Amino acid sequence: MTRAVLAIDLDAIAENWAALDARSAADVETAAVVKADGYGLGIGPVGRRLLRAGVRRFFVAQMAEGVALRAAIGDGPPIHVFAGYTGADRDDVENAALSPLLNSPEQIAAFSSDLKGRPCGLQIDSGMHRLGLAPEDDAAFRAALDRLDPDLVISHLACADTPEHPMNARQLETFARRTRGIPRARLSLAATGGILMGPEYHFGVTRPGVGLYGGLPFAGARGVVRLDLPVIQVRDVRRGDAVGYGATWTAPRPSRIATLSAGYADGLIRAIGGRVTLFAGDRPVPSVGRVSMDLMAADVTGIDPAPEFLTLIGPAQGVDGVAAAAGTIGYEILTGLGHRYERVYKGVD
């Protein structure tokens, strides 16, 4: 092996979707979020596999993602775009049959002028203060319900990964109050964390994202990715020898150091250096020194023969384990996995 291998289990993604779908009532539709290039794993193969699994509604962040997804999955399923609409998006909306989620009176006005009669949705701000129509925009919201006949009204929970946080209940109450009188089948509040908090958060459509890809807060998810890093050199170092930039690690004893062909250019962020564990089979191997652009190092002392590769993400450690070593979240690790890996898919159509 001379190139790092990122193995992506599309069947596991489908099984995670089915598991989250099973947590919802029969009259609740479970959609899928495939933004950020399918959370870094490929919007085309991920979208097609989810379509085969039964997904009939998708969400993306940006228009270009929607165009790419439409090309991959073909006509039919609605594709909602979180970022909404500007006049510059008109061709994408028409040609790829996208449904923008309008977030402001200005977006409502632009869409009404350009594309009235085409599918759209509305997003309201229930307390996160990020995207969505604020309470003071309620007149524009109500007018848009009548004038545009949107197919979906959504909001987004700020603290769903912390179920006991009081903001969840406040946002639920706000969303229910502001959408009172709108048919239930057109409402959506819950992503992965909201699904796990229970049916009162589910409304008509749920939209799992990170849980599909094996990430927290869905602790019961199947692992989706495996990342094996090739060992391109092994060398003996003496007690007191330094390894890597900045000489941040010195050998406490005579050691064998493996140099691995991957670095922060591949999404292995610098903060994991000297903190993350890799694995030779089921044997833990500590990383040492700083992660550089193309390389990182691990202490393989006592492993004979020296391993040909070490596993960073796999059965013994998922993306959230790597994230914990870096002081971040699994989302960042997952979506940052680079394009130099050899990508191997299981479960392709």
Side-chain angles (χ1 to χ4, degrees):
M1 183 189 296
T2 58
R3 185 179 177 194
V5 176
L6 178 64
I8 299 164
D9 189 342
L10 298 174
D11 291 337
I13 294 175
E15 288 185 28
N16 289 337
W17 176 82
L20 290 167
D21 180 52
R23 290 175 177 253
S24 300
D27 60 345
V28 175
E29 178 185 358
T30 305
V33 180
V34 295
K35 63 183 181 177
D37 193 29
Y39 279 61
L41 304 183
I43 198 169
V46 168
R48 287 190 294 269
R49 184 63 185 89
L50 286 168
L51 187 68
R52 284 199 288 129
V55 175
R56 293 298 177 264
R57 188 186 301 267
F58 292 88
F59 291 83
V60 296
Q62 301 174 357
M63 286 288 170
E65 296 172 343
V67 171
L69 180 61
R70 180 63 73 200
I73 67 172
D75 298 336
I79 299 173
H80 302 282
V81 183
F82 289 126
Y85 177 81
T86 69
D89 301 320
R90 179 171 184 166
D91 288 346
D92 287 341
V93 171
E94 291 188 311
N95 295 336
L98 305 179
S99 178
L101 294 161
L102 308 177
N103 292 294
S104 67
E106 293 77 16
Q107 289 193 357
I108 290 171
F111 189 86
S112 299
S113 173
D114 295 346
L115 295 168
K116 183 179 179 181
R118 295 194 67 90
C120 70
L122 299 174
Q123 182 162 193
I124 63 173
D125 177 12
S126 58
M128 193 173 183
H129 297 109
R130 194 177 62 171
L131 287 177
L133 292 149
E136 55 266 31
D137 300 323
D138 198 59
F141 171 51
R142 294 291 165 178
L145 290 172
D146 294 334
R147 187 166 70 250
L148 297 176
D149 190 27
D151 53 11
L152 195 67
V153 176
I154 80 163
S155 191
H156 191 59
L157 295 166
C159 301
D161 56 347
T162 310
E164 67 277 10
H165 199 292
M167 190 167 182
N168 293 314
R170 290 200 300 269
Q171 286 194 260
L172 175 62
E173 187 280 327
T174 298
F175 184 66
R177 173 171 42 81
R178 291 189 64 193
T179 58
R180 194 166 291 129
I182 298 172
R184 180 176 174 82
R186 297 193 298 174
L187 302 181
S188 179
L189 179 63
T192 300
I195 294 171
L196 300 175
M197 285 195 295
E200 65 269 30
Y201 288 87
H202 294 176
F203 292 90
V205 177
T206 61
R207 46 180 207 274
V210 72
L212 303 179
Y213 308 97
L216 293 174
F218 186 22
R222 274 192 58 190
V224 169
V225 298
R226 179 183 177 113
L227 181 58
D228 292 322
L229 308 180
V231 175
I232 58 174
Q233 182 175 343
V234 178
R235 67 189 309 143
D236 295 315
V237 300
R238 297 166 300 181
R239 181 177 180 273
D241 284 349
V243 173
Y245 283 120
T248 59
W249 184 86
T250 56
R253 49 164 168 70
S255 304
R256 298 201 81 197
I257 302 300
T259 299
L260 310 174
S261 182
Y264 57 74
D266 305 290
L268 306 184
I269 58 179
R270 201 164 171 264
I272 68 173
R275 298 179 180 179
V276 79
T277 299
L278 299 99
F279 292 84
D282 59 1
R283 181 169 178 171
V285 176
S287 67
V288 297
R290 287 182 179 170
V291 175
S292 56
M293 183 179 291
D294 311 296
L295 303 168
M296 63 183 296
D299 185 349
V300 295
T301 304
I303 301 179
D304 189 25
E308 296 181 2
F309 66 89
L310 294 174
T311 301
L312 180 63
I313 302 172
Q317 175 174 256
V319 292
D320 291 288
V322 177
T328 185
I329 56 176
Y331 298 72
E332 183 176 7
I333 301 299
L334 190 60
T335 59
L337 293 174
H339 296 284
R340 295 198 294 188
Y341 301 124
E342 178 184 351
R343 292 181 172 228
V344 178
Y345 287 94
K346 175 186 175 184
V348 295
D349 49 9

